[in-house]
Amino acid sequence: MVTLPQAQIDDAHKLQADGMVFLYKVTPTAGGIVRLKANDTVTWQSQTWEGTAIQIDQRGQNSDGTLVRPKLTLANPLAAYSTLVAQGLLDNAQVIEYSVLRAHIDANTNTYTMRTWKIRRPLQLNRTMVQFELRDVLDGQAFILPARAYIPPEFPSVSL
């Protein structure tokens, strides 16, 4: 019979895993920065990330290869964000998700992975929560990828 270390048994009985922590930075187009984290408040890289109810879900890809647009759900206590939504101040706001190991937060190490989205439109709004559709920063009507230029000297057989 194999005996496990007590620290490993205690960690297995926790209700919440603490290996990966997700930090969210919301930057409205009108200015200002809001730093949020699910559950508790932490300080990392000299910045305070306020604990609140926040979640990004429905990430992934459909079976036909199209990407699913994720949804940002955010607590809206006493309609705190309702005025910002009504005035359109959160339209096109940038949302950055930092994935940081708990050990790196505790040691204040600047090691993370990052994903970026833009808020496109509110899907649901009430006095307790607000939900937004997120889009990739390159996903939009006015975004045009530059065409490849087939010109000399790379393509000597092409004449202008």
Side-chain angles (χ1 to χ4, degrees):
M1 181 173 175
V2 177
T3 58
L4 297 174
Q6 187 61 38
Q8 190 172 1
I9 294 170
D10 292 343
D11 193 45
H13 287 102
K14 288 183 180 177
L15 294 176
Q16 180 181 3
D18 61 356
M20 188 63 71
V21 177
F22 298 100
L23 307 172
Y24 302 97
K25 182 168 116 176
V26 180
T27 308
T29 53
I33 295 175
V34 179
R35 291 181 179 85
L36 304 170
K37 179 195 173 297
N39 301 328
D40 58 333
T41 299
V42 298
T43 300
W44 178 65
Q45 297 298 301
S46 302
Q47 305 293 330
T48 301
W49 304 80
E50 295 296 327
T52 187
I54 186 170
Q55 177 181 350
I56 293 181
D57 58 355
Q58 297 184 5
R59 304 175 201 200
Q61 189 171 347
N62 289 331
S63 60
D64 63 356
T66 59
L67 293 175
V68 176
R69 291 186 174 136
K71 311 282 186 281
L72 169 67
T73 306
L74 180 62
N76 189 20
L78 303 173
Y81 293 104
S82 296
T83 304
L84 296 173
V85 172
Q87 293 176 354
L89 296 176
L90 292 177
D91 294 345
N92 291 320
Q94 184 181 48
V95 177
I96 301 175
E97 176 188 69
Y98 296 93
S99 303
V100 187
L101 291 173
R102 173 59 79 171
H104 292 161
I105 288 178
D106 294 340
N108 202 27
T109 306
N110 192 18
T111 305
Y112 58 88
T113 58
M114 182 177 76
R115 292 186 67 183
T116 305
W117 298 279
K118 292 272 186 189
I119 291 178
R120 276 299 174 219
R121 62 186 175 104
L123 298 173
Q124 192 174 24
L125 175 64
N126 58 45
R127 291 185 57 79
T128 59
M129 56 94 59
V130 60
Q131 186 177 49
F132 298 101
E133 178 185 80
L134 299 178
R135 292 193 185 177
D136 190 80
V137 292
L138 299 179
D139 183 10
Q141 284 183 318
F143 188 82
I144 299 172
L145 290 174
R148 177 146 186 209
Y150 295 96
I151 57 173
E154 292 177 314
F155 298 93
S157 61
V158 175
S159 61
L160 296 175

